[in-house]
Amino acid sequence: KLDGDIGQLFYKVLEQFFGSTHDIRLTGVSLADGIHIFADVGVLLADEPALKEMLSCKGHAGNKPCCLCLNASLHNSKGIPLHLLCGEAAVSITNTRWTDFTKHTDETIRATVRRLNDHHAQYKADAMTKELFDLRSAMLGWNWAPQNIILNEKFRLNVASCVMYDWAHTYVCDGLADTEFGQCMKALHSARARSTYEECGQYVSTFSFP
């Protein structure tokens, strides 16, 4: 019984392919004409909330909102944002200089989750307060999970190598295009231009989409 938990569902799905009974990396799948294929997880495509549920990262509302970055910092976080406290150790996600960001690797993500596990063990042993554990979890950018998919040796999930963000959510649905179009219309309105949302809608209705 999954009770709607996406993380548990993701675990069950991976277990179907890389479980103890059947591991498609080792046993593969036999097809017609003597073809035998083996497989691994090559792409994990999802929007940010789904990635948060599957991987137990903090997600877009966390102090470290990107599971692929070591130093990306939420620009409008509660209190003082990390990039204003940590100098070059943290970079606002509004920064457009890609070279300022430090990318995670498969191994740095595993190392980060191992650190979180160590902190959780200290917390459970009463060697660390809940407040301190929550703070360290926030600084690492990951949530503790009992069924840890990232450190599961059966799955050997290479997060940094396989995660892809869903472009439709990034740019179209509640994404950058929506924000930028709103900013454009606000600028036109401030300049007392005659353009309206209705006029833009009529213009877009003439497009032929593929």
Side-chain angles (χ1 to χ4, degrees):
K1 186 177 180 181
L2 298 176
D3 296 326
D5 189 315
I6 295 177
Q8 290 187 49
L9 176 61
F10 185 47
Y11 182 94
K12 291 293 185 182
V13 170
L14 288 174
E15 201 170 37
Q16 295 300 307
F17 292 93
F18 310 107
S20 301
T21 304
H22 172 68
D23 188 337
I24 198 171
R25 293 190 187 98
L26 303 175
T27 58
V29 175
S30 295
L31 303 178
D33 300 323
I35 298 174
H36 202 74
I37 63 171
F38 300 88
D40 201 348
V41 179
V43 173
L44 187 58
L45 176 65
D47 62 7
E48 184 59 39
L51 289 174
K52 174 185 176 181
E53 293 293 331
M54 290 188 290
L55 302 175
S56 298
C57 55
K58 287 294 185 181
H60 61 279
N63 286 301
K64 287 189 172 180
C66 178
C67 66
L68 299 180
C69 292
L70 272 164
N71 61 343
S73 167
L74 189 65
H75 188 74
N76 294 320
S77 61
K78 294 180 180 179
I80 304 175
L82 284 179
H83 57 277
L84 297 181
L85 291 172
C86 304
E88 296 180 357
V91 179
S92 167
I93 59 172
T94 62
N95 190 331
T96 56
R97 293 189 301 273
W98 301 116
T99 54
D100 289 350
F101 293 95
T102 303
K103 294 180 181 179
H104 261 304
T105 66
D106 298 323
E107 286 308 315
T108 59
I109 289 177
R110 290 190 181 99
T112 300
V113 176
R114 288 191 191 99
R115 285 183 62 190
L116 180 61
N117 281 0
D118 291 340
H119 294 327
H120 185 264
Q122 293 180 50
Y123 161 60
K124 296 302 288 184
D126 293 328
M128 181 184 295
T129 64
K130 185 179 186 306
E131 290 73 21
L132 181 56
F133 171 73
D134 290 342
L135 175 62
R136 292 191 174 180
S137 175
M139 294 302 99
L140 291 174
W142 298 83
N143 295 313
W144 183 83
Q147 289 184 324
N148 195 299
I149 289 175
I150 294 173
L151 298 182
N152 191 308
E153 287 298 323
K154 290 190 300 182
F155 303 151
R156 297 197 299 276
L157 195 66
N158 293 318
V159 175
S161 298
C162 70
V163 163
M164 291 186 182
Y165 285 100
D166 178 3
W167 70 268
H169 281 83
T170 303
Y171 291 103
V172 183
C173 181
D174 296 326
L176 295 177
D178 180 49
T179 300
E180 290 174 356
F181 181 62
Q183 291 176 335
C184 173
M185 294 304 294
K186 182 178 180 180
L188 290 172
H189 179 74
S190 299
R192 299 186 182 279
R194 297 174 61 187
S195 298
T196 63
Y197 279 100
E198 183 179 3
E199 180 187 27
C200 289
Q202 292 171 354
Y203 177 59
V204 170
S205 69
T206 66
F207 294 179
S208 295
F209 294 101

